[in-house]
Amino acid sequence: MEPSAASLLAPLAPWFDAVRRPLPWRAGDLDAPHPDPYAVLVSELMLQQTQVATVIPYFERWMARFPDAQALAGASEEAVHALWAGLGYYRRARNLQAAARAVAEGGFPRDLAGLQALPGLGPYTAAAVAAQAFQLPAPALDGNAFRVTARLLGLREDPRRLAAELRAWLIPALEAHGPSRMTQALMELGATVCVPAARCGACPLAEACEARRLGLQAVIPPAQPKAKVTEVDLVLAAIRHGDAWLLRPPAARGLLAGLWSWPAAPIAAGDGPSPTPPMGWEATLLPGWTQVYTHRRERVRPLLVRAPELAAPQGFAWVPAERLGTLPMGRRDQRLRGLLEGPVGLLPPDGETWKALLGLLGLG
DNA sequence: AACTCGTGGAA
DNA sequence: TTTCCAAGAGT
């Protein structure tokens, strides 16, 4: 990392000032502290592993409902999850509220260590808030910044292992060209030009780029190892009795923690004995779909049934139909909820089928 | 230090 | 269709 970052990255500042988009959380004056650090905090939590275009509508709704840290601190967890529902990685929502409570209580930390002590803020997010909200020269290394710097310097190994060295190298560039401007410029370049399939013709750093000089854009940085994905077939059941639906209240941890869900049961796991669907119940199945998570693929078979009288089993609750639309749900369960708004018939199963279904879903 | 944790855009 | 991976953090 011999060339200085301040000189190597100098073309990035005028480039960013010319091309930057007016994102709703982005300050107009990149040389001043941000007028609303809370807005920066919200945007950065939402942007973790999530693209800008996906975040924008969630950010707008969030700021309208929770305009400051005090408003978020006083909200119910269900209200918080209702506004986050569909965005994914729901722990972020609980972390953001916990961070807002700390800020409402003791004010915003004004240093990197204090920011990183807030729940949900790791090395990247703490630096991103420090630079964009407070103009502190803290390099924020996200996937974009790692890719840009690795290519620019021609680093052949995984740049994430060089995080400490890259941060030290970048500090003078933030000091020279403005922490907020340089932080956003690095990420914007990685998101729009120095993308995995590099568009070097549009890059303001092309002349200085070592990866381009060597023709190694395609192999720098090296690909991340892919996660193992387990495949599951499951029944997702909308069970109605009178004017209420049988639902599973939010769990404290695990997949979709904090969200409501429909009763579900695996029907054809990859190995071991799989439960046999009861005779006759296929008549109430709707067309299925595949739900994809990071480490899991579900082939979802939605099922609609009208239930006889039934006390809510352990771990389930009957929810009045008029409350159904307000419950925070993940995409899979939102999708089944959406199917219920159409003209669907609820077929009352015969006694044997119902009994088998209860067993299958663990409701017996 | 691996694993877990959602969803969707884009090639 | 499949594949990659996105303004990562917590455990």
Side-chain angles (χ1 to χ4, degrees):
Chain A
M1 309 181 193
E2 198 38 56
S4 92
S7 59
L8 217 48
L9 296 175
L12 214 44
W15 172 82
F16 181 66
D17 288 337
V19 305
R20 70 191 181 102
R21 297 165 292 173
L23 303 179
W25 51 84
R26 198 166 256 175
D29 183 359
L30 291 183
D31 295 303
H34 197 287
D36 187 1
Y38 168 75
V40 177
L41 179 69
V42 172
S43 72
E44 285 302 336
L45 269 290
M46 288 187 170
L47 285 163
Q48 288 170 4
Q49 294 290 285
T50 309
Q51 296 187 30
V52 166
T54 303
V55 164
I56 289 175
Y58 283 87
F59 177 85
E60 301 279 23
R61 269 183 276 127
W62 189 277
M63 294 301 286
R65 176 71 185 277
F66 308 121
D68 52 42
Q70 286 70 27
L72 179 54
S76 73
E77 185 172 314
E78 180 155 311
V80 165
H81 279 112
L83 282 223
W84 202 279
L87 192 54
Y89 284 154
Y90 299 96
R91 179 166 53 190
R92 295 182 295 172
R94 299 186 292 280
N95 283 339
L96 177 54
Q97 187 182 34
R101 285 176 171 158
V103 167
E105 185 75 20
F108 248 103
R110 301 286 170 147
D111 60 276
L112 189 59
L115 288 166
Q116 196 167 337
L118 293 174
L121 281 71
Y124 162 76
T125 308
V129 173
Q132 297 177 80
F134 304 123
Q135 299 287 1
L136 298 174
L141 294 174
D142 73 327
N144 293 309
F146 277 121
R147 185 169 56 249
V148 168
T149 53
R151 284 176 172 166
L152 184 62
L153 298 173
L155 306 178
R156 309 292 290 266
E157 60 181 309
D158 181 357
R160 294 168 191 277
R161 296 198 308 148
L162 300 173
E165 292 87 342
L166 286 170
R167 277 191 288 266
W169 180 72
L170 282 168
I171 286 174
L174 301 202
E175 292 172 333
H177 308 296
S180 182
R181 174 181 295 102
M182 194 70 355
T183 296
Q184 297 180 70
L186 270 173
M187 293 191 286
E188 190 100 335
L189 186 72
T192 62
V193 176
C194 196
V195 291
R199 303 172 46 236
C200 300
C203 183
L205 305 180
E207 299 303 316
C209 183
E210 187 68 3
R212 177 170 177 269
R213 189 179 73 79
L214 300 171
L216 296 177
Q217 302 96 317
V219 296
I220 296 179
Q224 296 292 108
K226 36 187 155 183
K228 277 181 248 177
V229 177
T230 63
E231 307 223 9
V232 183
D233 285 28
L234 61 78
V235 171
L236 194 63
I239 301 173
R240 180 166 189 156
H241 176 69
D243 209 29
W245 296 97
L246 188 62
L247 290 164
R248 185 186 290 280
R253 52 185 56 189
L255 190 65
L256 304 179
L259 305 182
W260 290 76
S261 60
W262 300 101
I267 53 174
D271 50 1
S274 49
T276 304
M279 294 289 292
W281 67 292
E282 288 85 353
T284 61
L285 279 175
L286 281 70
W289 69 86
T290 299
Q291 179 71 33
V292 180
Y293 306 95
T294 305
H295 291 82
R296 179 179 169 91
R297 287 173 58 87
E298 292 177 349
R299 290 177 14 92
V300 179
R301 308 303 312 273
L303 171 63
L304 275 65
V305 290
R306 186 181 298 284
E309 188 68 38
L310 173 71
Q314 183 70 32
F316 293 85
W318 288 104
V319 175
E322 64 267 23
R323 263 201 28 151
L324 181 64
T326 70
L327 300 180
M329 289 179 156
R331 285 294 192 216
R332 182 197 69 188
D333 299 270
Q334 286 181 23
R335 187 162 176 171
L336 177 52
R337 181 170 60 186
L339 290 178
L340 305 180
E341 293 167 359
V344 291
L346 286 175
L347 304 183
D350 60 69
E352 283 303 309
T353 300
W354 177 240
K355 200 175 295 182
L357 191 56
L358 286 181
L360 178 66
L361 293 168
L363 304 175

